[in-house]
Amino acid sequence: MRYALLLLVNQGTREPRPIASRDPAAVTSIPFDSINPSQGANPISAAHLPPLLVAFVVRIPPILRAQARSPRSPSLATLQIRAPPPIPGGAAAAFGMEETPPGQRPQPQPQPAHASPPFPAAPFTPPPRVFSPALAARGTPSPGSGPGHAPAHLSTPPGPPVFSSPLRPAAVPFAAAGGGYSSSSSATATASLPTSSAPHFLNGAATPHGDLAPAPSPLQGDGLDNPYVQFSANKVLKQKKLLNAPSLGFGALVSLGKEVAPGPEVVERDPRRCLNCGAYVNLYCDVLIASGQWQCIICKKLNGSEGEFVVSSKQDLLHWPELASTTVDYVQVGNRRPGFVPVSDSRVSGPIFILIDECLDEAHLQHLQGSLHAFVDSLPPTAKIGIITYGRTVSVYDFSEGAAVSADVLPGNKSPTHEALKGLIYGTGVYLSPIHASLPVAHTIFSSLRPYQLNVPEVSRDRCLGAAVEVALGIIQGPSVELSRGIIKRSGGNCRILVCAGGPCTFGPGSVPHSVKHPNYAYLEKTAMKSMESLGHEAQRHSTVIDIFCAGQCPVRVPVLQPLAKCSGGVLLLHDDFGEAFGVNLQRASTRAAGSHGLFEIRCSDNMLVTQVIGPGEEASPDSHETFKYDSSFCIQMHSVEETQSFSVSMETKGDIKSDFVFFQFAVRYSNMYQAEITRVITMRLQTVDGLSAYLASVQEDVASVIIGKRTVLRARTASDATDMRLSIDERVNDIAFKFGTQAPKSKLYRFPKELASLPECLFHLKRGPLLGSIIGHEDERSVLRNLFLNASFDLSLRMLAPRCIMHREGGTFEELPVYDLVMQSNAAVVLDHGTDIFIWLGAELAAQEGQSAATLAACRTLAEELSEQRFPAPRILSFKQGSSQARYFVSRLIPAHKDPTYEQESRFPQLWTLTPEQRARLKSSFIHFDDHSFCEWMRSLKLVPPEPS
């Protein structure tokens, strides 16, 4: 067969357009994180190229690269084709390779971190760079990125209008930051070329390898700018007593599935690991270039490299990505699923099953139908969907009937039998079909849904949700009837089940009685929870994520449904109705990157000990991972690997630290959408210090606040627990001041450390907010919110912890202000971003001006959409006028600073100086007295001096 490569260079584009496809239908779009969305591009797969063609290297000189960014300048590029270098006899063993028998494809080999001229008369030959053919459409080996979905990052379809009004800085520097599982101590990459030929990081334990290497900057050398890991402090205190102080603590937030551009270095081979403790080789290891041995940073033992690291100078070690970068992705292309056939280089999505509650009233059903119509319209043509409805029975819709709506019906009072599932899987019906072939049928099915007809209360209607999920899992696990070039293949990939529920599961497997007053309700609820947990684990074993979206006023029995979503790696969300926010969350859920079978390992040097891990996983059993003789790692079995998640890792030291640096290694192994095995290794080091002031200056207040918040919320399982946790925040703030602060002169009050000035205010928001406070009504809502917070990424966690307040100004600009009730000025509009909710408040004077208030409201809503366009779950956006009943949601989240003396108000809220005396008088008269403390009053009640505004 003949092969051809066409390289197109478009005017005004940044990169060439490679096209390699024998089937025009196989060409799909590239994710937004790989290219500019305005560019058209097609993926190139090495599976379509001859085995002897090793690499295409495109080099663009810096000047020309700058020119290529201009839309008026032509893109210039030079194409170089490298033939594979001949391997002399015996070289295969020296480089850890095996000779390739005739007729077999040669195995991938190590690759250099960057191109460099050959070294004359040196015994070292740089290993060739090899990339994963199956991953040739991405820039980072993400957890899955939902093949078939163009955007890798979450966005609201359709997007908001372009909003150009810039945010004005706060009137005073104000700490408004950007954007579980707990265990005791006992316990998708594009083959993209590097953007620069210079290494980002240098090798060396305490110093770079040798004097030939230029010294890295402190930020690069320690990897403190690593996007995947954020420490609560960038330095480690040597004194055990203060470092282990439970009130402040030390830890890190780890976002393993986060997608960044440019992504980490990609290496298609097995990683080298310490034979003693299992740690991975990294840029901080000392390498003996004469023998190729490397010293582990965790256990300090020497390991061999079979001669791979034998080079002429230490500078040559930078050709190995793992010795040049803090983050490396090891990729092994293969599949764990028998019968799985990769179809092409185009991105094919795993199945999406939509489960729809049949017991909805007409008003709710109309909103749901609108959201479902918009949802399927937003899916890419290659996405495969299935539709199931459930009530007393389970109806599985057949797409093979064309315009007619046809469904196979199964009983819902019990789990589906093997024979029933076999009849579905091997029958003539098509229950999973690509959007491009079934979109009209899907619209017809949604339009044919009818409201519930019987006169039965919502909570008492029979819903066999558990049986419907079991049917969907059975179809997903079985072979698909989809035909492609005469090959019957499995669905493959990571699958997703989206449940649209309007009430609890009250019929069949996992059901509870209709009424909580049932005499045996507690026991039946516990049994149902175990059943749902088992079903969630079954879904997780088959790489299927279950997201449950509830809406309406009917209680859904969150304690029963939460284990089903959590154990499968999905989320449970509550909505007011099936309208806009519900529909947006459906769309964003389908585009979430999802990896499966994740194993998270944490290793620390110098007697550092992991004491608690909070996040979407559970402690891994010893037989679930490879163990080493002296392996001290802390292992977590992840439910799924997604960008929207993070782990909170708390650490302590067993004794005073003697060394100058402490090393941390975070590794995750998971299977991505292509069933390729990814091992992401992140290695970082932190400098140790003796001085308390140096340590406090390195504390990252936002990160520390989120870690403290997650440790606190984890223990708030009930309403009474939440009350205890609010009291614990008082004790924590007191203890931090006594241990790390100073006593005020001639006073019994303590000053909070000035380096941690914003920390107590964040904790004050936590104490008053919806996570621990009582500003939202039902315990189910608080439970869902807490579970979301414990698993959320850093940005979303911080917004849920401490809201962000932005005031609309004249001329269409915005100004960020402290979250005080002094922003409620009658002639202004305010946007309050609290993570899962965004509120738009209009002052009474402004609301009375029809034209101006409409324009201001439109600008504020556009800003709200821009702030949340990549957020999952999509927040609820509410707007209201001053004095309305809904305004209480907004007022309850603001700190009541109007109770403070005037000098303190002006010090902490300088925007007051811009008001006229009449405006200040109207503002003062608008407040209603209540008993809540202001921030300053709360600090003084703890016998502390409020920190000065920075």
Side-chain angles (χ1 to χ4, degrees), residues 65 85 99 118 156 187 232 236 259 292 357 426 470 521 548 597 607 609 619 676 704 771 795 800 911 929 935:
R65 195 179 301 131
E99 303 226 357
T156 306
S232 60
V236 179
E259 294 188 18
D357 187 351
Y426 295 100
E470 291 179 345
Y521 184 85
I548 304 176
H597 307 288
N607 291 325
L609 186 69
E619 188 172 3
L771 292 171
D795 292 333
M800 294 176 70
Q911 192 262 353
H929 177 76
F935 172 67

PDB file of all heavy atoms in Angstrom, residues 65 85 99 118 156 187 232 236 259 292 357 426 470 521 548 597 607 609 619 676 704 771 795 800 911 929 935:
ATOM      1  N   ARG A  65       8.933  32.552  14.068  1.00  0.00           N
ATOM      2  CA  ARG A  65       7.802  32.140  14.884  1.00  0.00           C
ATOM      3  C   ARG A  65       6.998  33.359  15.320  1.00  0.00           C
ATOM      4  O   ARG A  65       5.789  33.337  15.382  1.00  0.00           O
ATOM      5  CB  ARG A  65       8.295  31.356  16.106  1.00  0.00           C
ATOM      6  CG  ARG A  65       7.227  30.585  16.807  1.00  0.00           C
ATOM      7  CD  ARG A  65       7.774  29.813  17.986  1.00  0.00           C
ATOM      8  NE  ARG A  65       8.810  28.888  17.586  1.00  0.00           N
ATOM      9  CZ  ARG A  65       9.987  28.797  18.179  1.00  0.00           C
ATOM     10  NH1 ARG A  65      10.269  29.561  19.194  1.00  0.00           N
ATOM     11  NH2 ARG A  65      10.883  27.935  17.760  1.00  0.00           N
ATOM     12  N   PRO A  85      18.941   6.242  12.964  1.00  0.00           N
ATOM     13  CA  PRO A  85      20.391   5.989  12.945  1.00  0.00           C
ATOM     14  C   PRO A  85      20.664   4.498  13.029  1.00  0.00           C
ATOM     15  O   PRO A  85      19.947   3.747  13.687  1.00  0.00           O
ATOM     16  CB  PRO A  85      20.896   6.706  14.203  1.00  0.00           C
ATOM     17  CG  PRO A  85      19.698   6.762  15.077  1.00  0.00           C
ATOM     18  CD  PRO A  85      18.518   6.870  14.183  1.00  0.00           C
ATOM     19  N   GLU A  99      16.703  -6.665  20.190  1.00  0.00           N
ATOM     20  CA  GLU A  99      16.742  -6.761  18.747  1.00  0.00           C
ATOM     21  C   GLU A  99      15.366  -7.143  18.225  1.00  0.00           C
ATOM     22  O   GLU A  99      14.669  -7.963  18.806  1.00  0.00           O
ATOM     23  CB  GLU A  99      17.784  -7.803  18.333  1.00  0.00           C
ATOM     24  CG  GLU A  99      19.162  -7.458  18.901  1.00  0.00           C
ATOM     25  CD  GLU A  99      20.234  -7.588  17.852  1.00  0.00           C
ATOM     26  OE1 GLU A  99      19.890  -7.989  16.745  1.00  0.00           O
ATOM     27  OE2 GLU A  99      21.374  -7.280  18.140  1.00  0.00           O
ATOM     28  N   PRO A 118      25.384  16.788  17.382  1.00  0.00           N
ATOM     29  CA  PRO A 118      26.065  15.580  17.857  1.00  0.00           C
ATOM     30  C   PRO A 118      27.346  15.933  18.583  1.00  0.00           C
ATOM     31  O   PRO A 118      28.004  16.935  18.302  1.00  0.00           O
ATOM     32  CB  PRO A 118      26.320  14.800  16.569  1.00  0.00           C
ATOM     33  CG  PRO A 118      26.266  15.813  15.472  1.00  0.00           C
ATOM     34  CD  PRO A 118      25.308  16.858  15.907  1.00  0.00           C
ATOM     35  N   THR A 156     -19.326  26.920  27.997  1.00  0.00           N
ATOM     36  CA  THR A 156     -20.777  26.956  27.917  1.00  0.00           C
ATOM     37  C   THR A 156     -21.195  27.067  26.463  1.00  0.00           C
ATOM     38  O   THR A 156     -20.908  28.068  25.833  1.00  0.00           O
ATOM     39  CB  THR A 156     -21.323  28.162  28.684  1.00  0.00           C
ATOM     40  OG1 THR A 156     -20.805  28.129  30.001  1.00  0.00           O
ATOM     41  CG2 THR A 156     -22.832  28.127  28.729  1.00  0.00           C
ATOM     42  N   ALA A 187      -2.146   3.703  57.738  1.00  0.00           N
ATOM     43  CA  ALA A 187      -2.524   3.096  56.509  1.00  0.00           C
ATOM     44  C   ALA A 187      -1.406   2.591  55.542  1.00  0.00           C
ATOM     45  O   ALA A 187      -0.308   2.772  55.841  1.00  0.00           O
ATOM     46  CB  ALA A 187      -3.235   4.139  55.703  1.00  0.00           C
ATOM     47  N   SER A 232       1.202  24.339  50.595  1.00  0.00           N
ATOM     48  CA  SER A 232       0.717  25.370  51.502  1.00  0.00           C
ATOM     49  C   SER A 232       1.826  26.338  51.876  1.00  0.00           C
ATOM     50  O   SER A 232       1.557  27.453  52.321  1.00  0.00           O
ATOM     51  CB  SER A 232       0.134  24.740  52.764  1.00  0.00           C
ATOM     52  OG  SER A 232       1.117  23.974  53.442  1.00  0.00           O
ATOM     53  N   VAL A 236      10.051  24.541  53.926  1.00  0.00           N
ATOM     54  CA  VAL A 236       9.701  23.613  54.994  1.00  0.00           C
ATOM     55  C   VAL A 236      10.472  23.993  56.241  1.00  0.00           C
ATOM     56  O   VAL A 236      11.692  24.180  56.202  1.00  0.00           O
ATOM     57  CB  VAL A 236      10.017  22.156  54.594  1.00  0.00           C
ATOM     58  CG1 VAL A 236       9.664  21.201  55.721  1.00  0.00           C
ATOM     59  CG2 VAL A 236       9.265  21.786  53.325  1.00  0.00           C
ATOM     60  N   GLU A 259      -5.207  19.774  32.781  1.00  0.00           N
ATOM     61  CA  GLU A 259      -4.656  19.953  31.445  1.00  0.00           C
ATOM     62  C   GLU A 259      -4.015  21.325  31.348  1.00  0.00           C
ATOM     63  O   GLU A 259      -4.623  22.334  31.675  1.00  0.00           O
ATOM     64  CB  GLU A 259      -5.756  19.820  30.391  1.00  0.00           C
ATOM     65  CG  GLU A 259      -6.339  18.422  30.309  1.00  0.00           C
ATOM     66  CD  GLU A 259      -7.273  18.276  29.129  1.00  0.00           C
ATOM     67  OE1 GLU A 259      -7.199  19.112  28.211  1.00  0.00           O
ATOM     68  OE2 GLU A 259      -8.071  17.333  29.130  1.00  0.00           O
ATOM     69  N   GLY A 292      26.714   5.046  34.964  1.00  0.00           N
ATOM     70  CA  GLY A 292      25.297   5.158  34.667  1.00  0.00           C
ATOM     71  C   GLY A 292      24.407   4.933  35.867  1.00  0.00           C
ATOM     72  O   GLY A 292      23.179   4.926  35.733  1.00  0.00           O
ATOM     73  N   ASP A 357     -36.036  10.147  33.925  1.00  0.00           N
ATOM     74  CA  ASP A 357     -37.136   9.846  34.846  1.00  0.00           C
ATOM     75  C   ASP A 357     -38.473  10.052  34.135  1.00  0.00           C
ATOM     76  O   ASP A 357     -38.749  11.123  33.593  1.00  0.00           O
ATOM     77  CB  ASP A 357     -37.007  10.778  36.059  1.00  0.00           C
ATOM     78  CG  ASP A 357     -37.991  10.457  37.167  1.00  0.00           C
ATOM     79  OD1 ASP A 357     -38.892   9.633  36.945  1.00  0.00           O
ATOM     80  OD2 ASP A 357     -37.855  11.040  38.260  1.00  0.00           O
ATOM     81  N   TYR A 426     -27.297  -9.127  21.739  1.00  0.00           N
ATOM     82  CA  TYR A 426     -27.132  -9.888  20.509  1.00  0.00           C
ATOM     83  C   TYR A 426     -28.368  -9.824  19.614  1.00  0.00           C
ATOM     84  O   TYR A 426     -28.429 -10.515  18.602  1.00  0.00           O
ATOM     85  CB  TYR A 426     -26.819 -11.349  20.837  1.00  0.00           C
ATOM     86  CG  TYR A 426     -25.495 -11.513  21.528  1.00  0.00           C
ATOM     87  CD1 TYR A 426     -25.422 -11.678  22.904  1.00  0.00           C
ATOM     88  CD2 TYR A 426     -24.305 -11.480  20.802  1.00  0.00           C
ATOM     89  CE1 TYR A 426     -24.202 -11.817  23.552  1.00  0.00           C
ATOM     90  CE2 TYR A 426     -23.081 -11.624  21.437  1.00  0.00           C
ATOM     91  CZ  TYR A 426     -23.031 -11.787  22.811  1.00  0.00           C
ATOM     92  OH  TYR A 426     -21.815 -11.923  23.446  1.00  0.00           O
ATOM     93  N   GLU A 470     -28.321  -0.650  35.865  1.00  0.00           N
ATOM     94  CA  GLU A 470     -27.813  -1.991  35.586  1.00  0.00           C
ATOM     95  C   GLU A 470     -28.003  -2.364  34.120  1.00  0.00           C
ATOM     96  O   GLU A 470     -27.121  -2.977  33.506  1.00  0.00           O
ATOM     97  CB  GLU A 470     -28.518  -3.008  36.485  1.00  0.00           C
ATOM     98  CG  GLU A 470     -28.133  -2.883  37.953  1.00  0.00           C
ATOM     99  CD  GLU A 470     -28.860  -3.884  38.828  1.00  0.00           C
ATOM    100  OE1 GLU A 470     -29.855  -4.477  38.358  1.00  0.00           O
ATOM    101  OE2 GLU A 470     -28.438  -4.066  39.983  1.00  0.00           O
ATOM    102  N   TYR A 521     -37.445   2.281  57.946  1.00  0.00           N
ATOM    103  CA  TYR A 521     -36.756   3.104  56.941  1.00  0.00           C
ATOM    104  C   TYR A 521     -35.241   3.107  57.138  1.00  0.00           C
ATOM    105  O   TYR A 521     -34.485   2.994  56.164  1.00  0.00           O
ATOM    106  CB  TYR A 521     -37.285   4.539  56.974  1.00  0.00           C
ATOM    107  CG  TYR A 521     -36.682   5.405  55.897  1.00  0.00           C
ATOM    108  CD1 TYR A 521     -37.228   5.431  54.625  1.00  0.00           C
ATOM    109  CD2 TYR A 521     -35.554   6.192  56.146  1.00  0.00           C
ATOM    110  CE1 TYR A 521     -36.670   6.203  53.617  1.00  0.00           C
ATOM    111  CE2 TYR A 521     -34.990   6.965  55.151  1.00  0.00           C
ATOM    112  CZ  TYR A 521     -35.546   6.971  53.890  1.00  0.00           C
ATOM    113  OH  TYR A 521     -34.975   7.731  52.899  1.00  0.00           O
ATOM    114  N   ILE A 548     -25.239  12.050  38.259  1.00  0.00           N
ATOM    115  CA  ILE A 548     -26.664  12.113  38.583  1.00  0.00           C
ATOM    116  C   ILE A 548     -27.064  13.580  38.721  1.00  0.00           C
ATOM    117  O   ILE A 548     -26.528  14.300  39.578  1.00  0.00           O
ATOM    118  CB  ILE A 548     -26.978  11.352  39.879  1.00  0.00           C
ATOM    119  CG1 ILE A 548     -26.490   9.895  39.769  1.00  0.00           C
ATOM    120  CG2 ILE A 548     -28.468  11.376  40.172  1.00  0.00           C
ATOM    121  CD1 ILE A 548     -26.675   9.093  41.039  1.00  0.00           C
ATOM    122  N   HIS A 597      -9.138   3.541  36.232  1.00  0.00           N
ATOM    123  CA  HIS A 597      -8.174   2.649  36.879  1.00  0.00           C
ATOM    124  C   HIS A 597      -6.957   3.439  37.368  1.00  0.00           C
ATOM    125  O   HIS A 597      -5.814   3.044  37.158  1.00  0.00           O
ATOM    126  CB  HIS A 597      -7.733   1.537  35.926  1.00  0.00           C
ATOM    127  CG  HIS A 597      -8.878   0.773  35.319  1.00  0.00           C
ATOM    128  ND1 HIS A 597      -9.651  -0.102  36.042  1.00  0.00           N
ATOM    129  CD2 HIS A 597      -9.406   0.792  34.063  1.00  0.00           C
ATOM    130  CE1 HIS A 597     -10.591  -0.617  35.258  1.00  0.00           C
ATOM    131  NE2 HIS A 597     -10.471  -0.083  34.055  1.00  0.00           N
ATOM    132  N   ASN A 607      11.984  11.620  56.297  1.00  0.00           N
ATOM    133  CA  ASN A 607      11.029  11.279  57.349  1.00  0.00           C
ATOM    134  C   ASN A 607       9.731  12.075  57.279  1.00  0.00           C
ATOM    135  O   ASN A 607       9.011  12.177  58.279  1.00  0.00           O
ATOM    136  CB  ASN A 607      11.659  11.452  58.741  1.00  0.00           C
ATOM    137  CG  ASN A 607      12.739  10.424  59.016  1.00  0.00           C
ATOM    138  OD1 ASN A 607      12.625   9.278  58.569  1.00  0.00           O
ATOM    139  ND2 ASN A 607      13.765  10.826  59.744  1.00  0.00           N
ATOM    140  N   LEU A 609       5.927  12.450  56.455  1.00  0.00           N
ATOM    141  CA  LEU A 609       4.899  11.427  56.564  1.00  0.00           C
ATOM    142  C   LEU A 609       3.560  11.983  56.102  1.00  0.00           C
ATOM    143  O   LEU A 609       3.175  13.083  56.483  1.00  0.00           O
ATOM    144  CB  LEU A 609       4.786  10.978  58.027  1.00  0.00           C
ATOM    145  CG  LEU A 609       3.860   9.815  58.348  1.00  0.00           C
ATOM    146  CD1 LEU A 609       4.419   8.520  57.780  1.00  0.00           C
ATOM    147  CD2 LEU A 609       3.694   9.693  59.859  1.00  0.00           C
ATOM    148  N   GLU A 619      -8.273   4.277  49.931  1.00  0.00           N
ATOM    149  CA  GLU A 619      -6.967   3.669  50.120  1.00  0.00           C
ATOM    150  C   GLU A 619      -6.852   2.390  49.292  1.00  0.00           C
ATOM    151  O   GLU A 619      -7.745   1.550  49.281  1.00  0.00           O
ATOM    152  CB  GLU A 619      -6.730   3.356  51.596  1.00  0.00           C
ATOM    153  CG  GLU A 619      -5.304   2.901  51.870  1.00  0.00           C
ATOM    154  CD  GLU A 619      -5.022   2.769  53.357  1.00  0.00           C
ATOM    155  OE1 GLU A 619      -5.954   2.969  54.147  1.00  0.00           O
ATOM    156  OE2 GLU A 619      -3.871   2.483  53.704  1.00  0.00           O
ATOM    157  N   ALA A 676      -4.634   3.538  26.518  1.00  0.00           N
ATOM    158  CA  ALA A 676      -3.191   3.637  26.703  1.00  0.00           C
ATOM    159  C   ALA A 676      -2.895   3.851  28.183  1.00  0.00           C
ATOM    160  O   ALA A 676      -3.636   4.554  28.876  1.00  0.00           O
ATOM    161  CB  ALA A 676      -2.620   4.789  25.878  1.00  0.00           C
ATOM    162  N   ALA A 704      -3.256  27.241  51.772  1.00  0.00           N
ATOM    163  CA  ALA A 704      -3.405  26.826  53.176  1.00  0.00           C
ATOM    164  C   ALA A 704      -4.869  26.910  53.613  1.00  0.00           C
ATOM    165  O   ALA A 704      -5.369  26.029  54.324  1.00  0.00           O
ATOM    166  CB  ALA A 704      -2.526  27.696  54.071  1.00  0.00           C
ATOM    167  N   LEU A 771     -21.062  25.934  53.514  1.00  0.00           N
ATOM    168  CA  LEU A 771     -20.427  24.651  53.823  1.00  0.00           C
ATOM    169  C   LEU A 771     -20.620  24.274  55.287  1.00  0.00           C
ATOM    170  O   LEU A 771     -20.783  23.087  55.608  1.00  0.00           O
ATOM    171  CB  LEU A 771     -18.936  24.714  53.480  1.00  0.00           C
ATOM    172  CG  LEU A 771     -18.617  24.822  51.987  1.00  0.00           C
ATOM    173  CD1 LEU A 771     -17.130  25.106  51.776  1.00  0.00           C
ATOM    174  CD2 LEU A 771     -19.018  23.549  51.251  1.00  0.00           C
ATOM    175  N   ASP A 795      -9.178  26.022  42.185  1.00  0.00           N
ATOM    176  CA  ASP A 795      -9.881  27.260  41.840  1.00  0.00           C
ATOM    177  C   ASP A 795     -11.321  27.240  42.334  1.00  0.00           C
ATOM    178  O   ASP A 795     -11.794  28.201  42.938  1.00  0.00           O
ATOM    179  CB  ASP A 795      -9.848  27.475  40.321  1.00  0.00           C
ATOM    180  CG  ASP A 795      -8.448  27.771  39.810  1.00  0.00           C
ATOM    181  OD1 ASP A 795      -7.652  28.306  40.592  1.00  0.00           O
ATOM    182  OD2 ASP A 795      -8.155  27.461  38.642  1.00  0.00           O
ATOM    183  N   MET A 800     -15.610  28.521  46.431  1.00  0.00           N
ATOM    184  CA  MET A 800     -16.651  28.032  47.338  1.00  0.00           C
ATOM    185  C   MET A 800     -16.345  28.420  48.776  1.00  0.00           C
ATOM    186  O   MET A 800     -17.254  28.589  49.585  1.00  0.00           O
ATOM    187  CB  MET A 800     -16.772  26.513  47.226  1.00  0.00           C
ATOM    188  CG  MET A 800     -17.277  26.021  45.887  1.00  0.00           C
ATOM    189  SD  MET A 800     -17.297  24.219  45.768  1.00  0.00           S
ATOM    190  CE  MET A 800     -18.629  23.828  46.906  1.00  0.00           C
ATOM    191  N   GLN A 911     -13.088  52.402  49.175  1.00  0.00           N
ATOM    192  CA  GLN A 911     -14.020  52.916  48.182  1.00  0.00           C
ATOM    193  C   GLN A 911     -15.042  53.863  48.800  1.00  0.00           C
ATOM    194  O   GLN A 911     -15.653  54.689  48.106  1.00  0.00           O
ATOM    195  CB  GLN A 911     -14.721  51.729  47.501  1.00  0.00           C
ATOM    196  CG  GLN A 911     -15.506  52.084  46.247  1.00  0.00           C
ATOM    197  CD  GLN A 911     -16.989  52.260  46.541  1.00  0.00           C
ATOM    198  OE1 GLN A 911     -17.450  51.997  47.651  1.00  0.00           O
ATOM    199  NE2 GLN A 911     -17.725  52.740  45.548  1.00  0.00           N
ATOM    200  N   HIS A 929     -30.231  45.944  61.517  1.00  0.00           N
ATOM    201  CA  HIS A 929     -29.407  45.414  62.607  1.00  0.00           C
ATOM    202  C   HIS A 929     -29.700  43.935  62.842  1.00  0.00           C
ATOM    203  O   HIS A 929     -30.852  43.509  62.857  1.00  0.00           O
ATOM    204  CB  HIS A 929     -29.668  46.194  63.902  1.00  0.00           C
ATOM    205  CG  HIS A 929     -28.895  45.645  65.066  1.00  0.00           C
ATOM    206  ND1 HIS A 929     -27.547  45.865  65.223  1.00  0.00           N
ATOM    207  CD2 HIS A 929     -29.287  44.869  66.109  1.00  0.00           C
ATOM    208  CE1 HIS A 929     -27.133  45.257  66.326  1.00  0.00           C
ATOM    209  NE2 HIS A 929     -28.176  44.649  66.884  1.00  0.00           N
ATOM    210  N   PHE A 935     -16.140  40.916  60.883  1.00  0.00           N
ATOM    211  CA  PHE A 935     -14.850  40.233  60.977  1.00  0.00           C
ATOM    212  C   PHE A 935     -14.017  40.780  62.135  1.00  0.00           C
ATOM    213  O   PHE A 935     -13.424  40.012  62.918  1.00  0.00           O
ATOM    214  CB  PHE A 935     -14.095  40.384  59.656  1.00  0.00           C
ATOM    215  CG  PHE A 935     -12.684  39.883  59.702  1.00  0.00           C
ATOM    216  CD1 PHE A 935     -12.408  38.524  59.868  1.00  0.00           C
ATOM    217  CD2 PHE A 935     -11.610  40.766  59.596  1.00  0.00           C
ATOM    218  CE1 PHE A 935     -11.096  38.066  59.924  1.00  0.00           C
ATOM    219  CE2 PHE A 935     -10.303  40.314  59.638  1.00  0.00           C
ATOM    220  CZ  PHE A 935     -10.049  38.963  59.804  1.00  0.00           C
TER     221      PHE A 935
END
